[in-house]
Amino acid sequence: MPNRLIKETSPYLLQHAHNPVDWHPWGPAALKLAQEKDKPILLSVGYSACHWCHVMERESFENEEIASIMNDNFISIKVDREERPDIDSIYMTAVQTMTGQGGWPMTVFLTPTGSPFYGGTYFPPEDRGGLPAFPKLLVALAEAYNEKRDEIQQSTDQLVQHMRHLGKSGEPTGPLTKSIELKAYQTLAKQFDNSEGGFGLQPKFPQPMVYEFLLRHYLNTQDPDVLDMVELTLTKMAKGGIYDQLGGGFHRYSTDSYWQVPHFEKMLYDNALLARLYLHLYQITGKSLYRSVVEQTLEYVGREMMSPEGGFYSAQDADSEGEEGKFFVWRPEEINHILGKEDGHIITQYYGVSIHGNFEGHSILHVTDSQETFSKRFGLSVDAFNALLESSKERLYKVRDKRVHPGLDDKILSSWNGLMLASFAEAASVLGRDDFRQIAEDNAKFIINNLISDTGRLLRTYKNDQSKLNAYLEDYGALIDGLLLLHEATSDGHWLDVATDLGKAMVDLFWDENEELFYDTGHDHEKLVVRPRDYTDNAMPCGSSMATSVLLRLAIVTGDQEYERIAEISLNSMLAFISRSPVGTGNWLCALDFYLSSPREIAIVGGRSEDATRALVAEVYRHFLPNRVVLGKRSSDAEYQNFPLLTNRPMLNNQPTAYVCEKYLCLSPVTIARDLAIQLTR
C-alpha cells in the first residue's frame, strides 16, 4: 500500500512511496496534523543520488518494526533537498549547530511548529560505529518530547534565535580593494595540495568557483604559480577516476586525495561548473586536454542528461543493481575479452586496471601516464596509440552501455538548468560549436515555456508536465546568467529582454532594503521558522553571490546604476567572511574581481551567419575576458532603446562592426578581427 508520497513528482520522494512509514510531503497539511495530534515531527531530508540515503532506506524505512515506531510517535515528513533548498538550508544549519557537522541523509526532530530540537545525519538500525541505533533514538526522543516539553521548548527557542542571527550579514570591515583578493590567494596557497592538487587531503571536492577566482587572479598578476595550481588540479582530475574516462562527465567528489576513487553520482551542477572552468583554462592555455574535457562533458550531458523537450535532468545515481559504482568499474579479464589480449594488455596498463583493483576488487579507470610514454613503451607512434585508445574507448563504452544503468533523477530544476545553459552557451561561443548553441537555445525555450508562470513568476521544478514551487534566489541568478551568455552566443535580443525582466523581479522579490541583504526565499514565500539565507559558496554558488554577480553585469547592460548600488552593498556585507574563508566564497571573490575591474563592454553589430561577424565573435572569445559584457544586434536597424551599449551603433561601411568600451568610453569601431585583437589586449 503506497503512502502519501505516491502523488509527488520528485524521484527521491517516489523512491519512498512504498515504505511502510506513513510519510508526508512537506506542507500545511502535515504541519497542521502534527499540531492537532501534538506529535513531534521526524523530518528526513535527502536526494535521489545519495548513496547513504539509499542505505538508510533499506535498513530502517523499509523495516516494519522501525516504521511502526515512527508511525506511532511522530509525523514523518520526507523532503527532497533539491526541490526544497530552503527547508534543507534551515535544518542543516540547525544540525550543524547542534552537532558540529552535517550531511545527507539528514534526520531532524521538530516540534509541531517546526522548531528543531534534535538532529543528525545517518543513523544505523543498531548501535554501530559510535552512532546510536535508530529505534532506540526514536523511543528516547518520543519520551523526551512527552516528558520534558518545557526544556525542549526553551532549547529550541534559543537555537532558532541563534539561527536567525547566523543569517545576517556582517558589518563592512573596510573598503573593497584588490588587497582582499591577494589575501584570499595567499590563504588558498597555504591550504593547497602541491602534490595532487586540490585543497586539504580527503575527501576532495572539485570546488570550481575557487579555481575560477584563481584564473582571474592569474590574469591580474601573471603569476605562474597561480596558474600552476589550477593546471595541476584540473589535469589530475581529468586523468583521475573522478572523471568518467569512457563516457565523459565528472562524479561528485573523490574519497581519496589522488582523485582516483569517487563518490559515483553525477550531478548536473558539478558538470555545468566544471565544463565552464575547463573552458576558461583552455582559453588561457590552448591545451587540447582541457578542450577535450569540455566537449566530452557537454556531449555526455546532451546524450544522457537532456529531456526530449530540452530540459536538463538533475542527476545520475551512484548505485546500480544496489551496489555503488558497479556500472563504472572493470576487471582486467573483461577488458581483455572485449579488446583481445594484446590490445587489452595495453589499455589495462594505461587505465590502471589490475587483478586487485582500487575499489572493492574492481578497478576505476584512471590515466596512469602520458600517451607519449605509453607509445614508447609499446613501440607505437603517438598517432597509432591514440587511434588504439579511441577505438578501445568506443568498444568499452558500447559494452558498458549494456549494463544496468544507474538511476536517473529526471526532475528539471531552474537553477541547475541555468548553470548548464550558461556552459553550453559559452562553449558554443568559444569553441564555435553550433550544436552546443542549439542545445542552449532549446533549453532556454523549454525553461521559458514551462518554468515561468502566466504571471511571470519563475518556478523551481518541472517533471511529468507539472511545474511547481516558487523559485528561489539561486534560480533567478543562475538563469539570468545563462540567458545573458545565450544572448552573447546568438545576438538575439529576446534573451536579453527575458534576462532583464528576471533581474528586476529578482530584486523585487529577494532584496531586503532594510536589512541590506538578499534572502533565498521571496517575500511571498510560505512562513518558515526562519527566513533562510545561505551566503556560502559550496558545491554551487550561493544565491546571494550569483545575484550580486549578475546585477553587476545588468547594471552595464541596462545602464541602471541601482543594480550596482545593491551589488556593492551586498559585497560590502560579505567582506569579513570573504577575507576569512576564501574556500567558501569563490563566487563572491569572482564578483568582487568584476566590481574592482573596468569591465570590457563589447558590442557586435552584424548578422551572426556572416563570416565577418563570426570572425569578430571568434576573436572576442579567443581571449579569457571574465570581466566583460558582450551585447550583439543582428543589423544596424535593430532597435535596442533599453540597452545603452547597443544604441547608436551602426555598421561601418555596411560591414559587421565591433565596439569596445570601458565605462561607456569607446575606442574606434573596427571591422577586422586583427584590429579587434589589438583593442582587446590593450
Side-chain angles (χ1 to χ4, degrees):
M1 183 75 176
N3 55 52
R4 293 171 182 81
L5 300 184
I6 197 68
K7 296 180 180 180
E8 296 298 304
T9 58
S10 158
Y12 175 66
L13 297 186
L14 289 171
Q15 287 169 5
H16 294 78
H18 295 276
N19 296 163
V21 176
D22 185 19
W23 287 118
H24 297 252
W26 180 276
L31 300 175
K32 182 180 179 183
L33 185 65
Q35 293 174 35
E36 288 175 348
K37 294 197 170 186
D38 192 24
K39 284 187 176 183
I41 294 167
L42 189 164
L43 175 65
S44 176
V45 183
Y47 58 102
S48 70
C50 165
H51 171 69
W52 285 101
C53 298
H54 299 324
V55 172
M56 191 166 179
E57 180 190 15
R58 288 195 299 268
E59 291 179 339
S60 295
F61 302 146
E62 292 179 355
N63 183 298
E64 295 279 356
E65 293 181 9
I66 294 177
S68 179
I69 298 172
M70 294 172 65
N71 295 339
D72 290 344
N73 295 282
F74 301 91
I75 300 300
S76 297
I77 298 178
K78 176 64 74 171
V79 166
D80 181 341
R81 67 173 294 260
E82 296 166 355
E83 279 195 341
R84 293 300 303 260
D86 53 338
I87 302 297
D88 180 62
S89 175
I90 290 169
Y91 295 108
M92 183 60 74
T93 299
V95 169
Q96 290 172 335
T97 302
M98 288 186 278
T99 69
Q101 59 186 5
W104 300 274
M106 178 168 63
T107 310
V108 197
F109 296 86
L110 320 176
T111 67
T113 57
S115 297
F117 63 88
Y118 188 86
T121 54
Y122 162 80
F123 291 105
E126 67 282 324
D127 292 336
R128 185 195 307 159
L131 293 171
F134 194 47
K136 291 182 184 177
L137 181 68
L138 293 172
V139 171
L141 288 172
E143 290 177 353
Y145 179 77
N146 290 323
E147 298 171 8
K148 300 179 180 180
R149 189 77 58 90
D150 290 342
E151 292 178 31
I152 285 177
Q153 190 61 54
Q154 184 177 1
S155 65
T156 59
D157 289 345
Q158 293 173 346
L159 177 58
V160 169
Q161 282 299 113
H162 176 70
M163 290 163 61
R164 286 175 179 156
H165 175 73
L166 287 177
K168 304 300 181 183
S169 299
E171 292 295 324
T173 57
L176 298 170
T177 66
K178 285 286 185 182
S179 63
I180 301 166
E181 296 184 31
L182 177 60
K183 182 180 178 182
Y185 163 67
Q186 291 170 340
T187 301
L188 291 169
K190 291 176 183 176
Q191 299 173 6
F192 187 70
D193 181 346
N194 290 293
S195 174
E196 300 298 329
F199 298 95
L201 296 175
Q202 59 188 37
K204 277 187 176 170
F205 290 83
Q207 298 175 306
M209 291 157 291
V210 174
Y211 298 102
E212 290 281 12
F213 161 67
L214 290 174
L215 289 181
R216 289 167 178 260
H217 191 62
Y218 168 72
L219 200 66
N220 293 334
T221 64
Q222 295 298 303
D223 182 347
D225 291 341
V226 182
L227 185 60
D228 287 346
M229 290 171 66
V230 183
E231 284 215 71
L232 174 63
T233 304
L234 268 62
T235 300
K236 290 280 188 179
M237 286 175 57
K239 294 183 176 182
I242 192 174
Y243 184 66
D244 182 352
Q245 300 295 331
L246 295 184
F250 289 88
H251 300 295
R252 179 68 195 92
Y253 64 89
S254 177
T255 62
D256 63 1
S257 60
Y258 306 103
W259 306 105
Q260 283 193 20
V261 181
H263 235 315
F264 287 93
E265 63 262 38
K266 287 182 176 181
M267 311 302 295
L268 186 70
Y269 58 80
D270 281 325
N271 284 285
L273 295 167
L274 286 166
R276 203 166 166 190
L277 172 62
Y278 276 87
L279 183 70
H280 296 158
L281 187 56
Y282 168 70
Q283 284 180 295
I284 291 174
T285 66
K287 293 182 179 179
S288 60
L289 171 64
Y290 307 135
R291 175 174 181 145
S292 176
V293 169
V294 175
E295 293 184 314
Q296 290 174 8
T297 299
L298 294 182
E299 287 165 0
Y300 147 73
V301 171
R303 183 178 65 246
E304 299 186 36
M305 296 289 286
M306 191 170 189
S307 74
E309 304 93 338
F312 296 119
Y313 300 136
S314 293
Q316 287 177 325
D317 208 333
D319 299 3
S320 54
E321 300 182 77
E323 295 182 28
E324 185 180 11
K326 184 174 182 179
F327 180 78
F328 297 100
V329 297
W330 295 87
R331 296 279 299 165
E333 58 268 23
E334 293 178 276
I335 294 177
N336 289 334
H337 176 72
I338 297 165
L339 302 180
K341 190 172 182 180
E342 184 176 340
D343 290 351
H345 176 64
I346 297 173
I347 296 303
T348 55
Q349 294 288 306
Y350 181 73
Y351 281 127
V353 180
S354 66
I355 294 174
H356 301 292
N358 62 357
F359 181 75
E360 299 178 357
H362 292 77
S363 293
I364 302 164
L365 302 188
H366 60 283
V367 177
T368 58
D369 213 330
S370 69
Q371 295 175 13
E372 291 76 13
T373 299
F374 270 87
S375 300
K376 292 177 182 177
R377 183 183 303 175
F378 291 101
L380 299 170
S381 68
V382 173
D383 288 343
F385 178 79
N386 287 341
L388 170 64
L389 180 61
E390 290 306 311
S391 66
S392 299
K393 286 170 63 176
E394 185 177 341
R395 293 165 68 186
L396 293 174
Y397 177 82
K398 287 180 179 179
V399 171
R400 191 184 79 173
D401 199 41
K402 295 177 182 177
R403 296 174 177 174
V404 176
H405 281 245
L408 176 68
D409 186 327
D410 58 352
K411 70 177 178 293
I412 293 166
L413 300 175
S414 291
S415 63
W416 299 12
N417 272 246
L419 294 174
M420 189 56 78
L421 167 61
S423 295
F424 269 102
E426 190 169 14
S429 298
V430 173
L431 305 179
R433 293 276 303 254
D434 287 339
D435 57 333
F436 288 171
R437 176 193 51 75
Q438 187 61 58
I439 287 174
E441 288 192 279
D442 291 344
N443 180 248
K445 291 173 185 175
F446 171 85
I447 295 172
I448 290 171
N449 291 335
N450 293 282
L451 281 157
I452 296 182
S453 71
D454 293 339
T455 63
R457 188 65 157 87
L458 183 63
L459 302 176
R460 170 67 175 177
T461 183
Y462 172 95
K463 188 176 182 293
N464 296 343
D465 295 324
Q466 293 184 50
S467 301
K468 63 182 184 179
L469 303 177
N470 283 343
Y472 302 94
L473 179 61
E474 68 174 50
D475 296 299
Y476 278 81
L479 183 54
I480 292 167
D481 182 46
L483 290 169
L484 290 175
L485 285 164
L486 182 56
H487 169 77
E488 292 188 16
T490 61
S491 293
D492 187 340
H494 174 62
W495 310 125
L496 209 51
D497 290 334
V498 178
T500 52
D501 287 347
L502 289 171
K504 183 179 184 304
M506 180 179 73
V507 172
D508 291 343
L509 285 165
F510 301 99
W511 177 251
D512 188 312
E513 185 64 31
N514 292 326
E515 298 279 357
E516 295 191 326
L517 52 79
F518 281 107
Y519 281 103
D520 291 337
T521 54
H523 59 70
D524 57 350
H525 199 71
E526 69 175 283
K527 185 173 176 58
L528 300 169
V529 64
V530 298
R531 189 177 180 188
R533 179 175 184 260
D534 184 2
Y535 50 76
T536 304
D537 296 322
N538 292 305
M540 277 177 54
C542 67
S544 292
S545 70
M546 279 195 282
T548 301
S549 179
V550 296
L551 283 185
L552 289 169
R553 287 155 62 200
L554 287 173
I556 296 172
V557 168
T558 64
D560 187 346
Q561 296 310 302
E562 175 69 2
Y563 289 157
E564 185 174 10
R565 182 190 73 84
I566 293 172
E568 182 180 6
I569 293 171
S570 185
L571 280 168
N572 262 304
S573 71
M574 288 297 298
L575 191 54
F577 187 53
I578 292 172
S579 300
R580 186 170 67 246
S581 181
V583 170
T585 54
N587 200 54
W588 283 110
L589 284 161
C590 291
L592 176 64
D593 186 66
F594 189 104
Y595 173 79
L596 294 173
S597 72
S598 294
R600 298 295 178 87
E601 303 156 3
I602 304 167
I604 297 178
V605 186
R608 291 301 288 259
S609 62
E610 296 184 41
D611 289 343
T613 307
R614 294 172 78 95
L616 293 172
V617 169
E619 186 57 45
V620 170
Y621 293 99
R622 191 171 64 83
H623 307 272
F624 177 56
L625 301 171
N627 299 329
R628 68 166 197 272
V629 170
V630 180
L631 299 187
K633 60 179 182 175
R634 295 168 175 175
S635 74
S636 293
D637 298 330
E639 292 295 327
Y640 289 95
Q641 298 299 327
N642 296 326
F643 308 112
L645 285 179
L646 293 176
T647 56
N648 300 316
R649 292 287 186 263
M651 290 192 288
L652 288 184
N653 302 320
N654 206 34
Q655 297 180 58
T657 305
Y659 295 80
V660 178
C661 312
E662 290 183 16
K663 301 293 184 184
Y664 301 112
L665 298 176
C666 298
L667 304 175
S668 299
V670 296
T671 59
I672 300 173
R674 66 174 177 270
D675 294 336
L676 178 58
I678 293 170
Q679 293 187 351
L680 293 175
T681 54
R682 286 176 73 233

